[in-house]
Amino acid sequence: MLSKVRIALDAMGGDAGAAVVIPGAAISLGRHRNTEFLLVGDRARIEPELEKHPALKAASKTIHTDVAVSGSDKPSQALRRGRRTSSMWLAIDAVKKGEADVAVSAGNTGALMAMSRFHLRTLPGIDRPAITAIWPTRRGESVVLDLGATIGGDARHLVALAVMGAAMASVQFNKPRPTVGLLNIGTEEIKGHEEIREAGEILRARNLPELDYIGFIEGDGIGKGLADVIVTEGYSGNIALKAAEGTARQMAELLRNEMQRSWLSKLGYLFARSAFQALRNKMDPNKSNGGVLLGLNGLVVKSHGGINAEGFAYAIDVGYEMAHYDLLNKINQMLNREGGALNSVQSAQEAVS
């Protein structure tokens, strides 16, 4: 564990920039007093916000730049225009130089992934990083990856996702051997793409000590929380995420409309208000904010761009937890130790072929 966690914040990322980033950092600091912040962005926007939060000001250092990555920039454009000068790049650079343990940004997702991969590189044995998030479920929470960092993936990539997700779940949920399932169109072993079936065979054959592979999980199994870790490639993972977010918004809207339709329904709401409040808290998107870019040689967390200060604080909290419990080192050891998951995939592939 790290006694002091240093967090670099892209203070110009997201829809509101410093107006959300700074109060969000203040909220997170109240929960984790052993945090130091490196605030990267326009000093003229950062300092007025800092004056409102004396404790944060005392725990922070500012790096000035007035260059920000636009939400409309393509990853290639962001690399050309913002490399070495933008707030996003400089926050990542702080991790690269060892000046920060983790970087957090609410900026352009594609740009953040491109810059992080270009500057930090990937861990040994990892071809492509993944976006990983904590997903609220009926039984608690699950780690789900990949949510859209890259499209497609062979069996080796899926096995790598399983191991990285298990490492994150062991930190997040304090479970030494979290359960892992592969998202598929059915639970039968004969269903799904060849890559998914092959990954399942490898995970079952290897019986890795870091995780408990339980088989295929269908889409409804994510919300049920059938496994601590749900593994999917980025295309289907992103669709699942957007479908779940859209369904949650639709249900909230339908429920709100029904509660306002008549005086009887309004009266019923008054009697059931505590239950509705509990449901609202459970489904609060703020509390699920913060996607970890796993597979990089450094820790980077992506926040939603339109989040409020409380939501951004949760993204910082995720970064704090991952750094405090040394997630990066744990993943590296699990992936590349002698006889580890990826070192043995080739022999497993031969065994199941």
Side-chain angles (χ1 to χ4, degrees):
M1 294 185 192
L2 297 179
S3 58
K4 181 76 71 174
V5 176
R6 302 162 302 166
I7 303 177
L9 300 180
D10 172 11
M12 299 178 74
D15 297 350
V20 160
V21 172
I22 303 305
I27 294 170
S28 183
L29 179 63
R31 296 194 278 252
H32 309 290
R33 292 294 182 181
N34 61 328
T35 308
E36 293 178 349
F37 289 100
L38 193 60
L39 307 174
V40 187
D42 189 347
R43 196 181 300 273
R45 299 182 182 182
I46 293 173
E47 290 184 346
E49 294 293 333
L50 267 183
E51 292 299 325
K52 305 172 187 177
H53 307 282
L56 177 63
K57 184 177 180 180
S60 301
K61 175 183 175 183
T62 301
I63 294 180
H64 173 74
T65 179
D66 57 3
V67 180
V69 173
S70 167
S72 61
D73 282 347
K74 294 180 179 179
S76 57
Q77 293 174 325
L79 274 173
R80 286 196 304 270
R81 300 172 184 172
R83 186 178 166 190
R84 304 188 188 282
T85 58
S86 69
S87 57
M88 182 182 288
W89 175 275
L90 292 174
I92 297 167
D93 188 54
V95 175
K96 174 76 171 182
K97 292 177 177 177
E99 297 170 354
D101 302 303
V102 57
V104 183
S105 175
N108 183 318
T109 303
L112 183 65
M113 178 60 76
M115 285 187 177
S116 299
R117 186 174 181 181
F118 180 87
H119 198 32
L120 298 176
R121 307 298 182 184
T122 56
L123 290 169
I126 297 296
D127 298 323
R128 295 179 293 172
I131 298 176
T132 311
I134 305 298
W135 196 298
T137 71
R138 275 164 48 184
R139 72 183 186 102
E141 293 177 322
S142 296
V143 170
V144 183
L145 73 166
D146 173 20
L147 295 177
T150 56
I151 303 302
D154 58 12
R156 187 177 189 276
H157 178 62
L158 294 174
V159 172
L161 294 181
V163 176
M164 291 193 296
M168 181 169 168
S170 68
V171 168
Q172 193 74 23
F173 309 141
N174 193 28
K175 290 188 176 182
R177 197 166 188 253
T179 55
V180 175
L182 293 176
L183 187 66
N184 201 356
I185 60 171
T187 58
E188 298 88 347
E189 296 296 326
I190 61 171
K191 286 192 173 181
H193 292 303
E194 180 181 350
E195 296 83 3
I196 298 175
R197 298 199 308 271
E198 186 177 355
E201 291 174 355
I202 293 170
L203 288 168
R204 195 176 300 282
R206 295 307 302 167
N207 191 28
L208 297 168
E210 299 92 354
L211 58 89
D212 178 14
Y213 175 64
I214 63 171
F216 297 147
I217 291 177
E218 295 182 271
D220 63 341
I222 302 178
K224 291 177 180 177
L226 296 185
D228 298 314
V229 181
I230 311 291
V231 175
T232 178
E233 54 80 36
Y235 184 82
S236 54
N238 190 265
I239 290 175
L241 175 65
K242 298 299 173 57
E245 290 177 340
T247 301
R249 285 193 293 268
Q250 178 188 5
M251 293 302 295
E253 177 103 7
L254 290 173
L255 185 60
R256 185 164 50 248
N257 290 341
E258 287 300 317
M259 289 297 100
Q260 296 173 351
R261 196 165 64 168
S262 69
W263 69 269
L264 279 175
S265 59
K266 291 178 181 179
L267 183 62
Y269 170 77
L270 291 176
F271 284 111
R273 184 164 49 186
S274 60
F276 285 121
Q277 184 60 49
L279 177 62
R280 187 180 297 112
N281 291 336
K282 180 74 173 176
M283 300 302 294
D284 186 355
N286 289 326
K287 297 180 180 179
S288 302
N289 189 37
V292 183
L293 308 191
L294 287 185
L296 297 168
N297 192 23
L299 288 174
V300 179
V301 174
K302 171 67 175 73
S303 166
H304 285 307
I307 207 74
N308 60 22
E310 182 66 37
F312 192 78
Y314 278 104
I316 298 174
D317 290 347
V318 170
Y320 172 90
E321 294 291 332
M322 299 304 105
H324 182 62
Y325 292 102
D326 203 8
L327 173 68
L328 197 65
N329 186 52
K330 186 166 190 175
I331 290 176
N332 211 3
Q333 289 178 349
M334 289 169 62
L335 286 172
N336 301 289
R337 64 174 171 78
E338 185 178 357
L342 295 191
N343 292 338
S344 58
V345 166
Q346 187 61 46
S347 60
Q349 287 175 318
E350 294 172 355
V352 299
S353 61

